């Protein structure tokens, strides 16, 4: 990939409206739970995976590294959830379904108390962290890593700016 110049992508605050081209935000912000005081709060059906017959849950740990976007992947047969663990958030580079262009690339900070579900075909890659490490679960259709991974590169490397 030729490094003609380096465009900076500003990290956006996670908001359901601005995240809409990429997927949905899983959050309890605007929902009233079913509540048993002193025992639990239940927030049911915040995201729907009705198009997946068999899902797999995967665990990933990321470490601090250079915040440069050089590659994307997508899955056209499935949605993908990214669920941070341990209260540590991650920064995810994204591009909506379709062609990856300079103007289509975005980056979102997903705090440790929220999660996201990508639309099928949403371009993404391994999240970044500024913590010592960050763990998260990804969930998608079984066999996705074997039969539904496409790769693309941005027009040139891009840096993520906080």
């Amino acid at each position: 990939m030729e490094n003609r110049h380096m465009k900076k992508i500003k990290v956006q605050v996670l908001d359901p409206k601005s995240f809409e081209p990429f997927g949905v935000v899983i959050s309890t912000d605007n929902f009233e739970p079913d509540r048993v005081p002193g025992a639990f709060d239940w927030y049911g059906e915040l995201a729907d995976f009705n198009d997946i017959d068999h899902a797999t849950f995967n665990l990933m740990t990321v470490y601090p590294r250079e915040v440069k976007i050089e590659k994307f992947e997508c899955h056209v047969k499935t949605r993908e959830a990214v669920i941070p663990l341990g209260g540590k958030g991650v920064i995810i580079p994204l591009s909506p379904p379709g062609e990856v262009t300079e103007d289509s690339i975005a980056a979102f900070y997903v705090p440790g108390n929220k999660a996201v579900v990508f639309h099928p075909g949403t371009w993404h890659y391994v999240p970044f962290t500024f913590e010592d490490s960050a763990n998260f679960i990804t969930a998608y259709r079984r066999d996705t890593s074997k039969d539904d991974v496409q790769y693309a590169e941005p027009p040139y490397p891009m840096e993520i700016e906080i």
Side-chain angles (χ1 to χ4, degrees), residues 61-149:
T61 302
V62 291
Y63 303 94
R65 66 188 197 280
E66 187 178 11
V67 243
K68 194 185 319 182
I69 305 168
E70 296 182 301
K71 189 176 188 178
F72 285 99
E73 70 176 40
C74 80
H75 318 293
V76 296
K77 298 177 185 177
T78 187
R79 300 168 194 271
E80 179 174 338
V82 174
I83 307 162
L85 299 171
K88 295 180 179 180
V90 293
I91 296 169
I92 305 174
L94 298 161
S95 185
E99 184 181 350
V100 176
T101 66
E102 176 180 347
D103 295 329
S104 70
I105 297 171
F108 285 88
Y109 174 70
V110 180
N113 65 343
K114 296 185 180 173
V116 293
V117 180
F118 307 143
H119 297 308
T122 294
W123 296 97
H124 59 283
Y125 205 61
V126 177
F128 296 94
T129 185
F130 292 105
E131 305 277 354
D132 57 342
S133 65
N135 295 306
F136 58 95
I137 291 172
T138 62
Y140 45 65
R141 181 188 61 83
R142 183 175 53 196
D143 293 330
T144 292
S145 60
K146 295 175 188 165
D147 69 5
D148 188 22
V149 180

Side-chain angles (χ1 to χ4, degrees), residues 35-48:
R35 178 171 280 150
V36 174
F40 65 83
D41 292 343
W42 169 255
Y43 298 88
E45 300 183 15
L46 297 178
D48 195 344

